[in-house]
């Protein structure tokens, strides 16, 4: 995110603001914090901490809070601490590690019964148990497959419709009122209809996830294309660019950062809708694990499912981050 | 002064075009051109009754106070805007939207931020220029405008004046029948400005294209142009029209100190409503009219 952001900021005086925070449904707003976490985690450390990574013994993760309390040293270095890679990694891991330690302390102290808060060890054992029976891998695989298929269809359609509505006046006139109305339907309202039409097999889940992924991409891409700097477009046209050539030379590079944020939102939406779909009707997958464990009072498995969802969500988001780096280098 | 000004023969390969096809300069004519923005009560007349014939290969400078419609006139000439009244024709044919026969150097650099300076200049090459020929042409142009060392930089990494020179190079790359330049030297320091003026004259000598040059610098107009037109409003009516047309005597390069030019400068400054006696008392003689913040 940082790269595209920085770039947009530095372009700000020249290009019209790309609608990063374009009018997106409120429900799309939540996943943004996804990424914000890493930055927020690095925040409290500020410019403190000294540039002495070699002093961290062993794994030393638990020592970070101590390290953070070291008074600020003279910052004579050319690169600021917050720009360093190791600092980003360590800073981002800080809060999870603190949470893990707190969890361990609270759950083993007897303050809270383990039926409410299982210990990390219990969750780990639940994971091992499920893995040994081949279920954990299967659930992760099936859920990931659903997310990827739904995301792929939804995002591809979102890109296509967003491009048509953003680039062509006629497309805008014909399509945007209808799509706006469809978007206004709370997406989960489709569930009963989808189940009636497609049963509880894969189709209905993937379609629901695709709906969830479609709208952020459609909305953001259409708005971004509509707001491409007029002066640059005019310059492109004045130098003989038309149609596809104009698109690849001016419009596409201008919207690449917005497209990436749209894809990120869509991916987060896809995971959200996956769990919704699996909670409602399924016999496999992480959402099913959640319902099933809830019914059987297996709180350790509930924790496991939540943690796995967090890890998978973050992992897939990082994949989009890699794609972002490549795309920005290639086009923007 | 410029790398090319020493050998000033018209066939100088330095400024010769990339592709073999030679575009000849074309005349451009304005007949009763007017432009009003807005409709109904909000309508505001900016230009009216513009009649102007520019011969092929002629350089015409357009002077006028800020906001009087110089850029608008240039945009109409390039087919970026359509007149409310009248017609503009290049070589007898009415200009089409984004007419390919003209090239525009915009008042703002308008470089694509995601392309390098060289990539931006290459945007100006006529469609169908061969890759290799295009590349050499671009690097020659970058050298001419003094940006050879910055070919690989992004627009945000160069100064405003450098961006403006890149924008000029992009317009020159097109080698058009009509070159439309909107304050191309506005953001340059005095020395670079003189160099770029010489560069423009070199290019013009090598490829005598028709040039319409908007400027707010009276001396620049007198130095570069065959004719200077002064746009301005009449006291009692909205809409700017041509108030004065001045044929500049002599051949370029002109002696900046000549009495004849001094007298023309006085007339133009008067026309712009600037008190000439201020100049005699030590106020700089170039009139710097603030830019319309576009
Ligand atoms: N697209 C537009 N819509 C409405 N009004 C416009 C538009 N373009 C220009 N104008 C108006 O036309 C007038 C002339 O503008 P123009 O840019 O041609 O001035 P200019 O002579 O180039 O000024 P400057 O020397 O400051 O660049 C201005 O008052 C401006 O407000
Ligand atoms: Mg102007």
């Amino acid at each position: 995110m940082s790269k595209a952001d920085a770039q947009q900021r530095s372009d700000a005086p020249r290009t019209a603001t790309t609608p990063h925070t374009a009018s997106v449904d409120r429900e799309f707003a939540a996943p943004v914090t996804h990424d914000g976490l890493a930055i927020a985690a690095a925040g409290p450390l500020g410019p403190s901490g000294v540039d002495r990574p070699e002093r961290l013994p062993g794994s030393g993760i638990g020592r970070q809070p101590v390290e953070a309390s070291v008074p600020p040293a003279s910052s004579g270095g050319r690169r600021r601490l917050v720009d360093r890679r190791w600092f980003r990694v360590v800073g981002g891991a800080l809060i999870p590690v603190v949470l893990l330690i707190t969890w361990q302390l609270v759950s083993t102290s007897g303050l809270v019964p383990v039926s409410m808060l299982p210990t990390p060890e219990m969750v780990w054992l639940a994971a091992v148990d499920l893995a040994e029976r081949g279920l954990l891998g299967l659930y992760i695989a099936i859920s990931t497959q659903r997310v990827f298929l739904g995301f792929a269809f939804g995002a591809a359609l979102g890109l296509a419709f967003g491009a048509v509505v953003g680039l062509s006046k006629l497309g805008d006139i014909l399509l945007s009122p209808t799509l706006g109305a469809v978007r206004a339907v709370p997406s989960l309202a489709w569930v009963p209809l989808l189940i009636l039409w497609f049963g509880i097999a894969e189709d209905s889940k993937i379609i629901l996830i695709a709906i969830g992924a479609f709208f952020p991409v459609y909305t953001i891409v259409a708005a971004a294309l509509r707001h491409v700097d007029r002066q640059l477009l005019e310059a492109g046209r004045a130098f003989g660019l038309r149609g596809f050539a104009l698109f690849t030379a001016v419009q596409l590079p201008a919207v690449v950062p917005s497209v990436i944020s749209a894809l990120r939102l869509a991916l987060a939406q896809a995971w959200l809708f996956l769990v919704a779909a699996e909670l409602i009707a399924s016999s496999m997958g992480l959402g099913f694990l959640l319902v099933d464990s809830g019914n059987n009072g297996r709180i350790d498995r509930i924790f496991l499912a939540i943690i796995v969802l967090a890890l998978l969500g973050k992992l897939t988001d990082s994949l989009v981050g890699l794609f972002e780096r490549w795309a920005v280098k290639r086009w923007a | 002064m410029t790398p090319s000004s020493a050998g000033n023969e018209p066939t100088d390969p330095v400024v010769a075009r990339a592709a073999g096809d030679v575009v000849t300069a074309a005349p451009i004519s304005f007949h009763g051109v007017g432009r009003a923005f807005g409709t109904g009560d909000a309508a505001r007349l900016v230009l009216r009754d513009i009649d102007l014939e520019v011969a092929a290969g002629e350089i015409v400078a357009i002077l006028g106070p800020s906001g009087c419609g110089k850029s608008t006139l240039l945009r109409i000439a390039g087919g970026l805007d359509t007149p409310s009244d009248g017609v503009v024709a290049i070589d007898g044919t009415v200009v089409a939207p984004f007419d390919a026969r003209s090239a525009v150097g915009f008042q703002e650099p308008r470089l694509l931020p995601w392309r390098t300076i060289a990539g931006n200049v290459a945007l100006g090459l006529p469609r169908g220029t061969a890759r290799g020929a295009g590349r050499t042409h671009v690097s020659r142009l970058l050298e001419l405008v003094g940006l050879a060392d910055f070919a690989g930089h992004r627009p945000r990494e160069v100064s405003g004046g450098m961006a403006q020179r890149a924008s000029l190079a992009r317009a020159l790359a097109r080698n058009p029948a009509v070159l439309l330049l909107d304050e191309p030297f506005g953001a340059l320091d005095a020395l670079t400005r003189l160099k770029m003026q010489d560069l423009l004259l070199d290019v013009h000598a090598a490829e005598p294209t028709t040039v319409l040059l908007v400027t707010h610098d009276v001396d620049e107009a007198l130095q570069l142009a065959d004719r200077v037109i002064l746009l301005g409003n009449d006291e009692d009516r909205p809409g700017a029209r041509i108030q004065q047309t001045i044929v500049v005597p002599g051949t370029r390069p002109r002696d900046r100190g000549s009495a004849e030019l001094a007298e023309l400068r006085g007339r133009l400054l008067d026309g712009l409503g600037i008190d000439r006696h201020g100049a005699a008392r030590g106020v700089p003689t170039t009139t710097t009219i603030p830019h319309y913040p576009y």
Side-chain angles (χ1 to χ4, degrees), chain A residues 126-210:
Chain A
V128 172
D129 172 52
L130 277 178
E132 275 171 354
R133 287 194 273 148
L135 288 178
L136 187 61
L138 176 69
Y139 288 176
I140 290 177
I142 193 83
S143 287
T144 311
Q145 178 185 318
R146 286 168 181 157
V147 162
F148 277 153
L149 284 176
F151 171 73
F153 286 125
L157 286 174
L159 284 174
F161 278 89
V164 169
V165 169
L167 290 175
S168 120
K169 275 249 162 61
L170 188 65
D172 188 15
I173 292 168
L174 288 178
L175 292 175
S176 58
T178 312
L179 286 172
V182 176
R183 181 178 52 201
V185 178
S187 310
L188 293 182
W190 298 110
V191 169
L193 191 61
L194 289 175
I195 289 178
L196 268 177
W197 280 353
F198 301 100
I200 60 164
E202 291 303 288
D203 292 356
S204 61
K205 296 185 188 63
I206 289 173
I207 292 173
L208 185 68
I209 294 169

Side-chain angles (χ1 to χ4, degrees), chain A residues 7 10-11 14-15 228 230-242 248-251 253-254 329 331-332, chain B residues 75 80 97-99 102-104 106 108 110-115 123-125 127 154-156 158 170-171 174 294:
Chain A
Q7 185 180 340
S10 64
D11 287 351
R14 223 164 281 191
T15 53
V228 170
R230 301 251 158 131
Q231 294 205 336
L232 290 185
L233 275 177
E234 190 183 66
R237 291 207 176 93
F239 286 103
L241 297 177
R242 302 263 182 293
T248 52
V250 183
Q251 280 140 330
K329 201 184 276 174
W331 284 300
Chain B
R75 292 167 53 79
L80 307 186
F98 304 104
D99 203 299
S102 56
V104 191
F106 293 97
E108 325 76 25
R110 297 201 192 183
L111 302 175
L112 301 177
W114 44 83
R115 283 208 189 184
L123 192 70
L125 293 170
R127 297 305 105 193
R154 297 294 171 102
R156 78 178 78 90
V158 302
R170 179 175 63 182
R174 197 141 191 88
Y294 205 81

